[in-house]
Amino acid sequence: MGLFARIRNQMSKSWLRRIDIKLSFGINSIPRNGRMVLEEGASIHSRIMKFQELRVGAKTYIRSGSELLNVREIGRFCSISNNVVIGQSKGGHGHPMSWVSTYPFQLEAAVPAAPDPSLQGVRIGHDVWIGREAMIMEGVNIGTGAVVAGRSVVTRDVPEYAVVAGIPARLIRYRHPPQLAARLLASRWWEIHEADLKKMPMNDPEDFLESIKGQRSAKYRTCILTKSSWRLVE
């Protein structure tokens, strides 16, 4: 990394801290053609990033050692632990099993492996908790309120408020009864500002749903980052 790049990286980190956003490794960790849209309070400690475009919601944190690969969206108030891999290839890109060898000859081959257009970036809803060393495969959607147990391998979509665990991850239970989960989703409580949410009875969902009636939506500051620039969204 050249001197100018180091200075620019440090300047971006200082600027982000002023709007309560933490990107531990600065904009130099963003892919060359990548783009990030971060809301106020987001905290990302991941060094390995290979996405094209990623939006991360307010107050979501991603601990160190995690890898952000083929992922497009992570909602607000998500808790992502250490060494989580999001958007891991399902195979066929780097190690095509139908070829003569699984060794990545295709990187320099005359007939490169064709990308699979059906595999989209991972999308993670709001209030999702992903435990340590979990792996989320590419193309997976994780619903709002879901929980992924540590060291699980998620190969298929996870419903809202589901708790999944295992290799491959399977449904263990739901956090709330269907009617209560539906009411929480309909309330869109994650649109309320964190300062107001802290004053509410988060330990009692029924009382909480009563207390948020009439609350205004939050206005979190949002910034757009690339490897060479940073700015607030107007």
Side-chain angles (χ1 to χ4, degrees):
M1 185 191 308
L3 177 60
F4 179 74
R6 290 198 299 270
I7 293 173
R8 183 177 59 196
N9 197 53
Q10 190 58 46
M11 289 175 62
S12 70
K13 291 170 68 175
S14 298
W15 181 83
L16 288 168
R17 281 195 293 269
R18 291 199 293 271
I19 57 172
D20 192 28
I21 292 176
K22 187 169 185 179
L23 187 62
S24 290
F25 298 99
I27 59 174
N28 283 337
S29 59
I30 299 174
R32 183 175 300 277
N33 297 317
R35 182 173 181 265
M36 297 188 80
V37 181
L38 303 180
E39 287 188 333
E40 185 177 348
S43 179
I44 301 174
H45 299 264
S46 173
R47 180 189 291 272
I48 299 177
M49 300 186 186
K50 296 183 179 180
F51 53 82
Q52 291 185 332
E53 179 163 346
L54 172 61
R55 175 180 290 271
V56 180
K59 299 299 176 179
T60 283
Y61 66 81
I62 302 171
R63 298 299 191 203
S64 61
S66 293
E67 300 180 22
L68 303 178
L69 307 178
N70 190 5
V71 51
R72 289 192 56 83
E73 185 174 0
I74 302 174
R76 293 177 174 176
F77 301 104
C78 290
S79 307
I80 299 176
S81 190
N82 301 81
N83 303 317
V84 171
V85 179
I86 303 177
Q88 175 65 36
S89 170
K90 290 182 177 179
H93 303 324
H95 307 275
M97 291 188 289
S98 63
W99 282 38
V100 174
S101 171
T102 57
Y103 186 83
F105 288 108
Q106 78 279 6
L107 296 180
E108 298 181 1
V111 184
D116 185 346
S118 68
L119 294 176
Q120 304 297 320
V122 172
R123 294 182 183 273
I124 297 175
H126 308 282
D127 183 38
V128 171
W129 174 22
I130 302 178
R132 188 183 183 94
E133 298 180 2
M135 180 178 291
I136 315 299
M137 307 303 285
E138 63 186 349
V140 167
N141 294 319
I142 299 182
T144 290
V147 176
V148 178
R151 297 190 175 180
S152 297
V153 177
V154 182
T155 60
R156 62 183 67 185
D157 291 354
V158 178
E160 287 88 353
Y161 288 99
V163 179
V164 299
I167 305 175
R170 299 183 183 280
L171 177 65
I172 304 301
R173 63 182 179 87
Y174 286 91
R175 286 179 54 198
H176 302 295
Q179 186 176 18
L180 178 56
R183 291 171 61 199
L184 287 168
L185 290 170
S187 75
R188 303 186 66 83
W189 64 262
W190 50 86
E191 295 182 355
I192 300 171
H193 200 280
E194 179 197 30
D196 295 322
L197 291 170
K198 287 180 176 179
K199 302 173 185 177
M200 299 177 187
M202 301 291 286
N203 62 322
D204 189 324
E206 293 287 352
D207 286 350
F208 172 80
L209 286 168
E210 288 297 319
S211 66
I212 66 172
K213 291 179 179 178
Q215 290 286 340
R216 295 182 179 181
S217 296
K219 293 183 178 179
Y220 288 108
R221 290 175 292 182
T222 303
C223 68
I224 297 176
L225 306 174
T226 68
K227 203 172 186 66
S228 60
S229 66
W230 57 93
R231 64 179 177 86
L232 281 172
V233 175
E234 299 297 335

